Amino acid sequence: MTDVLVWAGVAVLGGLGAVVRLTVDKAVSRRAPKGFPYGTLVVNISGAMILGFFAGMTLPAHLALMAGTGFVGSYTTFSTWMLETHRLAEERQIGPAVANIVVSVALGIPAALAGQTLGALL
């Protein structure tokens, strides 16, 4: 696969990942209680599982780049997670801020492992 096709694939899948992220975040946020970034949490945990799945499949390098960097890289969001955690701390909601960090890590690692295990089964 040529570099141009890989770059184009990353761009297209990155755009798709961003749209899916917005859709999932908004759908979760509309239904969840206010005050905690549940949408971002769901996006990042599901993204960890998806990336683990792709890793478990041991995709060829160009496909891994497009799927992992393109789609999952745009779908998940470390920066929003940190900004929302910081916002919670600024609002003196220390419990929810700490919970956002702990829950994200505590669920994200097993989600990535579960995805990798499932991907390896294929």
Side-chain angles (χ1 to χ4, degrees):
M1 183 169 279
T2 68
D3 285 345
V4 173
L5 287 176
V6 172
W7 280 82
V10 168
V12 168
L13 289 173
L16 180 63
V19 170
V20 173
R21 181 216 185 294
L22 178 66
T23 303
V24 171
D25 189 340
K26 295 293 181 195
V28 171
S29 295
R30 270 193 306 257
R31 292 167 177 81
K34 303 297 180 221
F36 188 85
Y38 290 104
T40 301
L41 178 67
V42 168
V43 163
N44 286 340
I45 300 307
S46 60
M49 185 172 214
I50 294 166
L51 188 58
F53 181 78
F54 290 149
M57 291 175 63
T58 59
L59 297 171
H62 62 280
L63 291 179
L65 182 65
M66 288 189 287
T69 302
F71 181 80
V72 181
S74 293
Y75 176 67
T76 60
T77 175
F78 182 80
S79 57
T80 301
W81 175 52
M82 287 293 101
L83 181 64
E84 290 170 342
T85 302
H86 180 67
R87 180 190 50 80
L88 289 167
E90 279 185 332
E91 294 172 356
R92 300 180 197 261
Q93 296 183 47
I94 303 305
V98 170
N100 196 29
I101 294 169
V102 171
V103 170
S104 293
V105 173
L107 294 179
I109 292 171
L113 179 59
Q116 188 174 17
T117 302
L118 291 171
L121 293 173
L122 296 179

